[in-house]
Amino acid sequence: MTTTTRVTATRLGRTALAAGAALALFAALPTASAHAATGTFFYHSRDAGDLEMNNPANNECRLLVQGGATSADNQTDTTATIYFDHGCEEPHSTLRPGQSTGFFGSLPHSVRFG
């Protein structure tokens, strides 16, 4: 009987160790909803003037107010991808942290960070 008890205790210990390791790994994984770009994304719209987004969430499509942006200044710590359309499907350009640009012709209408 001693052998059976020892085997059961060893199995329980291994199971507990595996569960603890899985929990630690899960807790260390970043989640898209929990992470946001740090800083401010500034842009200018013909229709609404100067606007800004503070600490925008990563991987979320954000609209640039109707009429599109005529300029943008990415003062976040994350790359911003600018899109022609309203649904972040037609890429226009990217702005690395600290970059700014003006837009001419077809204006962009959405942005995504990350």
Side-chain angles (χ1 to χ4, degrees):
M1 281 198 163
T2 307
T3 305
T4 304
T5 305
R6 200 175 319 166
V7 170
T8 302
T10 302
R11 286 184 186 160
L12 287 174
R14 287 182 187 161
T15 302
L17 181 61
L23 181 61
L25 180 62
F26 179 74
L29 292 174
T31 59
S33 61
H35 185 70
T38 302
T40 304
F41 180 81
F42 300 93
Y43 68 102
H44 183 84
S45 164
R46 284 191 289 215
D47 298 344
D50 293 327
L51 300 161
E52 60 186 58
M53 294 178 196
N54 293 304
N55 302 321
N58 282 339
N59 301 316
E60 180 181 300
C61 185
R62 304 281 304 260
L63 291 178
L64 302 173
V65 296
Q66 195 159 358
T70 58
S71 64
D73 182 10
N74 184 14
Q75 294 302 313
T76 72
D77 63 351
T78 304
T79 297
T81 303
I82 312 295
Y83 296 86
F84 283 112
D85 64 305
H86 291 88
C88 294
E89 294 179 6
E90 299 173 30
H92 180 285
S93 58
T94 57
L95 289 177
R96 292 186 314 265
Q99 272 191 316
S100 61
T101 191
F103 303 108
F104 306 96
S106 295
L107 300 176
H109 288 86
S110 58
V111 62
R112 181 178 310 203
F113 296 85

